[in-house]
Every structure is written in structure tokens, then in C-alpha cells.
Amino acid sequence: MTHDVRGSASPSGAHVDAGSEAARGAKGPDELRREIERTRHELGDTVEELAGKMDVKARARARADELKDRAGAMSVQMRSSAAHAGEVGKQHRTQLMAAAGALVMLAVGAAVMVQRRHH
């Protein structure tokens, strides 16, 4: 029984042309070693990434650090807002005190007038 390489079928049932494989170039041992090394490196990166995702403690720690940073930023923002409100209050304090004084004087004046009418 003889085999014709050009007419032989591949495992998928398709015919393989030996000439096209030669045109693509067969991989030599050095090229195969480089490809194996590259694949090992990629696999190592993938395993490391998956291990990082599975490390619940480290992920929780990272999330806690992120939330702590956010809380610190919000605290700074709130202090800044409070300081600004204090400054606005200082700027208008004189006006508020004058208005309150005027109200007190009106109330005292009204009370004196009411007392004089009754006497």
C-alpha cells in the first residue's frame, strides 16, 4: 500500500498539500525552542494573574487602601468647605450683629412704649 502525500487526508478529513507546508517553512529546533519559551512565559504571566485574582486578602487590602484614600480626600474637601463657610460667616458677622442689635432695640423700644401707655 503506497501513500500519496498530495492526496492524503488530514485528521479533519481535508486534504493536505505537502507543497503548501513546505512553502510556509518547517520550524527548526531553535525556532521551536523560542516558541516554547515564549509560551512558558505567557503561561507564567497568566498563572500569576489568576493567582492574584484568587488572593482575596490582597484584593481586600487593596480595596481598603482605595477606600481609605477616598475618605481622606473627602475629609480634606469637607475641611475646606467648612473653612470657606467660616470665612463667609466672618465677612457677614458685622451685618448680622447690626441686624440683631436693631431687632433688640426695636423690641426694647416697643416694650417701653407699651409700659408707658399702661401707666
Side-chain angles (χ1 to χ4, degrees):
M1 182 151 95
T2 61
H3 293 284
D4 183 8
V5 174
R6 289 181 180 215
S8 65
S10 69
S12 65
H15 290 289
V16 177
D17 184 8
S20 67
E21 189 173 328
R24 281 186 280 149
K27 295 182 179 180
D30 289 337
E31 188 176 347
L32 287 173
R33 283 187 193 98
R34 283 191 299 273
E35 188 174 323
I36 289 169
E37 190 58 36
R38 185 176 57 247
T39 302
R40 281 183 182 158
H41 182 71
E42 289 171 2
L43 182 59
D45 289 347
T46 302
V47 168
E48 193 174 308
E49 186 177 325
L50 287 173
K53 288 181 179 181
M54 296 302 292
D55 188 355
V56 178
K57 276 186 179 180
R59 290 178 64 197
R61 227 176 289 124
R63 181 71 174 144
D65 289 344
E66 178 185 325
L67 291 174
K68 194 184 307 181
D69 290 346
R70 251 195 230 170
M74 289 177 76
S75 175
V76 167
Q77 185 178 8
M78 288 175 65
R79 281 191 212 125
S80 175
S81 295
H84 178 70
E87 288 299 317
V88 169
K90 284 179 185 177
Q91 290 173 358
H92 298 290
R93 182 180 303 165
T94 304
Q95 295 168 346
L96 290 172
M97 294 299 277
L103 284 173
V104 168
M105 291 176 80
L106 281 171
V108 168
V112 167
M113 287 177 67
V114 168
Q115 265 192 345
R116 283 190 182 169
R117 281 191 187 168
H118 289 302
H119 285 281

